[in-house]
Amino acid sequence: MSPRRTALLTLLLLAGTTGCSQGQGYALPSDVCGVEVRAAFLKPLLPPGDSFKQSKTHESGGDITGCAMEVDKRRELTFQASLVPADLDPLEVKRTNLVRAGNPQKAAIGSDARVADNGAMAYDVCTYEGERHRYVVEVWVDKSPADVDRRREDLARFIAAYLPAALKAAGCTP
């Protein structure tokens, strides 16, 4: 093999291994929108990168809290939690959003839930300040996944762990 070909092959191999070695060069947060969550549930939902930022979103206020997560200055995840009247069906209200997120399927999380390709939504019935409500959590992913089945599993695991913690943090008891 000529020296030029050897150098080119070496360069290509190095470029390929460099791209595969990308990881999360940032620390994962210990909370999502102020709700403590294990990093193991959040990690599969975030891409590799160097920097991370979590910030409140414009949805925050009143009985709604929201936040977004950015990796390398690109929004990757958006979260929202809200307290709604007990007779309101949040899955019906957000049906269009769930359909846009890709093929929503019923999931056995909380009182009711849907997991889609790029998002998940779940709620539980609870008592807040002496009245019955539904506490709703949502997570929306900004990028389409390469492995849809894996993403759905990751979203389901995350929201199943997050919903009870968010209920408790909001002071909403089952």
Side-chain angles (χ1 to χ4, degrees):
M1 189 180 285
S2 73
R4 185 175 174 180
R5 275 194 151 170
T6 302
L8 182 59
L9 182 59
T10 302
L11 184 61
L12 288 171
L13 287 172
L14 286 173
T17 58
T18 302
C20 294
S21 66
Q22 284 185 343
Q24 288 175 323
Y26 54 88
L28 290 169
S30 59
D31 73 278
V32 173
C33 299
V35 176
E36 193 174 312
V37 65
R38 286 186 18 210
F41 293 118
L42 186 58
K43 184 177 181 173
L45 300 177
L46 291 168
D50 295 319
S51 66
F52 174 85
K53 180 183 173 189
Q54 179 175 198
S55 58
K56 290 185 178 182
T57 59
H58 67 279
E59 293 94 357
S60 297
D63 292 332
I64 300 174
T65 58
C67 67
M69 293 185 175
E70 294 179 2
V71 173
D72 296 340
K73 298 183 180 180
R74 177 182 156 81
R75 185 179 282 197
E76 298 293 340
L77 298 172
T78 305
F79 300 88
Q80 185 171 306
S82 51
L83 194 61
V84 300
D87 61 347
L88 180 72
D89 181 354
L91 296 171
E92 183 58 33
V93 170
K94 298 274 181 128
R95 185 172 52 86
T96 302
N97 293 18
L98 287 163
V99 169
R100 279 191 206 129
N103 194 26
Q105 300 294 310
K106 186 170 179 57
I109 302 167
S111 296
D112 202 357
R114 299 292 181 274
V115 176
D117 297 348
N118 290 324
M121 189 173 173
Y123 73 85
D124 226 337
V125 176
C126 66
T127 301
Y128 180 76
E129 295 182 351
E131 293 184 28
R132 298 300 283 167
H133 288 81
R134 291 181 182 188
Y135 192 79
V136 187
V137 294
E138 306 169 44
V139 58
W140 305 101
V141 183
D142 284 9
K143 264 200 252 181
S144 294
D147 185 343
V148 174
D149 293 334
R150 175 71 179 235
R151 167 69 62 75
R152 287 171 164 278
E153 290 170 8
D154 293 338
L155 283 166
R157 268 193 296 279
F158 173 82
I159 208 159
Y162 188 74
L163 178 60
L167 275 164
K168 184 177 179 181
C172 204
T173 57

